[in-house]
Amino acid sequence: MGRPPCCDKANVKKGPWTPEEDAKLLAYTSTHGTGNWTNVPQRAGLKRCGKSCRLRYTNYLRPNLKHENFTQEEEDLIVTLHAMLGSRWSLIANQLPGRTDNDVKNYWNTKLSKKLRQRGIDPITHRPIADLMHSIGALAIRLPQPAHSPSGGSSSSYLPAPAALPLVHDVAYHAAGILQPPPQQQQQAVIARVDADAPASPAADHGQQLKWSDFLADDAAAAAAASEAQQALGQYHHEAAAAAGVLAAGSSSGAGGRACGDGGGGDDGAAAFIDAILDCDKETGVDQLIAELLADPAYYAGSSSSSSDMGWGC
DNA sequence: AAGGCGGTCAACCGCCGGGAT
DNA sequence: CATCCCGGCGGTTGACCGCCT
């Protein structure tokens, strides 16, 4: 069932590229452009897979690539965008001129995630690690236990990607333009600045511990917010379309702003709520929405500042 | 001086979405 | 409508390098 290989692997060279190969590839792309990578190796006289050629070009040979170290501003932007987008490296890289997704991914994995951990911030959820411990505890109490657990798994298997919940909420709130996130979420929207002087002190910084009930307590408000946000998104979608051109090139086209099922307001408790969120994420193309938001330069211009500078406080 | 170890980063792999046929 | 093929993506690997013991 698998796809046939893109090239004859027996006759293809692998491993590091030599300067001669780089020169051939560069000469070819400079005169013929970069279309149809499968033909490039043959036409350029390279014993390489077309995929390998594309990767080498886009990650290393492409003009206007930056090869110097990441700046503080770039670091901050990566952290901010990762908090919103997760590991959508291509989308993140689109916001960093001269950087590739591979650059950003490597930099994150080797440097930034460690920096965050050292500051007590979980690099996946961008929340204080201490809060996550409390969240797990609260979740174990609140979530209904499965009647049977064939695999012997715990209820924590219900967990969606933790960033997804605040992400959906925050985007909806922001897009609506008139709504305030609940105070708890404002507090918990931790966008860590990696060069902060003081080590993170979650207990001191967060008087209120994060609980999943924070997301459930105001279901009615959340449902109303989601509904209102979806309506606003329809309008926003058109307004943002013009500005989204550059970024949209990196994201799939689709029905951005489409209504999301029955809305985010599950009313049957945590499990239903989480299911709704997961369904929502699948249906709506949230990433495109985020891309549109990001296409507005004002949205992330203050990314190195606190979250209150990022448009949360409408 | 030599071996071990960890960090970095270029490159590869497999999957997926979408356009072409 | 089904299939094929290409480009793009994220995760992972492995070579290389510098530091430490």
Side-chain angles (χ1 to χ4, degrees):
Chain A
M1 280 296 290
R3 281 183 45 199
C6 62
C7 48
D8 181 5
K9 296 197 174 191
N11 295 321
V12 158
K13 186 188 173 197
K14 291 163 68 172
W17 280 65
T18 66
E20 290 76 19
E21 288 176 313
D22 281 346
K24 283 182 180 177
L25 182 56
L26 211 46
Y28 178 84
T29 54
S30 64
T31 55
H32 296 89
T34 59
N36 198 355
W37 285 106
T38 49
N39 292 334
V40 168
Q42 183 185 2
R43 296 185 178 181
L46 292 163
K47 293 185 184 308
R48 291 274 182 175
C49 175
K51 236 175 163 180
S52 179
C53 293
R54 180 178 61 81
L55 218 57
R56 180 65 178 172
Y57 180 80
T58 55
N59 287 341
Y60 194 80
L61 298 176
R62 186 157 49 104
N64 303 324
L65 282 183
K66 287 185 192 172
H67 294 289
E68 58 265 34
N69 291 337
F70 281 76
T71 66
Q72 185 62 55
E73 287 71 26
E74 287 175 316
E75 279 192 9
D76 290 341
L77 186 53
I78 292 170
V79 172
T80 301
L81 291 173
H82 188 272
M84 301 170 62
L85 301 168
S87 52
R88 312 279 178 93
W89 303 117
S90 61
L91 280 177
I92 295 172
N94 279 346
Q95 304 307 306
L96 296 160
R99 304 295 188 185
T100 69
D101 55 350
N102 216 30
D103 288 338
V104 175
K105 180 173 57 181
N106 282 333
Y107 193 65
W108 175 268
N109 287 334
T110 59
K111 301 251 180 73
L112 289 181
S113 64
K114 288 175 190 170
K115 276 190 183 180
L116 289 181
R117 273 194 207 94
Q118 285 169 0
R119 305 232 167 260
I121 304 294
D122 177 59
I124 298 174
T125 63
H126 294 259
R127 293 175 180 277
I129 291 169
D131 275 0
L132 290 176
M133 296 300 106
H134 278 273
S135 299
I136 292 169
L139 187 66
I141 295 170
R142 280 194 146 268
L143 279 184
Q145 298 292 327
H148 300 288
S149 183
S151 64
S154 72
S155 61
S156 63
S157 61
Y158 278 71
L159 269 172
L165 289 173
L167 178 62
V168 171
H169 274 265
D170 292 349
V171 168
Y173 284 121
H174 178 75
I178 55 173
L179 298 169
Q180 289 276 355
Q184 298 97 323
Q185 289 178 32
Q186 284 185 321
Q187 280 194 355
Q188 301 297 339
V190 177
I191 307 294
R193 186 180 162 88
V194 293
D195 63 339
D197 291 326
S201 175
D205 291 343
H206 300 275
Q208 289 179 282
Q209 299 296 341
L210 171 70
K211 296 184 182 63
W212 285 80
S213 56
D214 290 343
F215 299 104
L216 304 173
D218 56 349
D219 273 352
S227 173
E228 201 161 352
Q230 291 299 341
Q231 292 178 15
L233 283 176
Q235 178 65 25
Y236 187 93
H237 180 69
H238 295 295
E239 292 174 355
V246 173
L247 219 146
S251 62
S252 60
S253 62
R258 185 162 55 92
C260 158
D262 294 332
D267 55 4
D268 290 326
F273 176 79
I274 292 169
D275 285 345
I277 291 296
L278 292 175
D279 289 345
C280 217
D281 194 33
K282 286 178 187 170
E283 290 178 10
T284 57
V286 164
D287 46 338
Q288 184 188 355
L289 166 61
I290 293 166
E292 290 170 0
L293 290 174
L294 287 171
D296 178 5
Y299 181 71
Y300 58 86
S303 62
S304 62
S305 307
S306 67
S307 59
S308 62
D309 294 327
M310 298 173 59
W312 303 133
C314 314

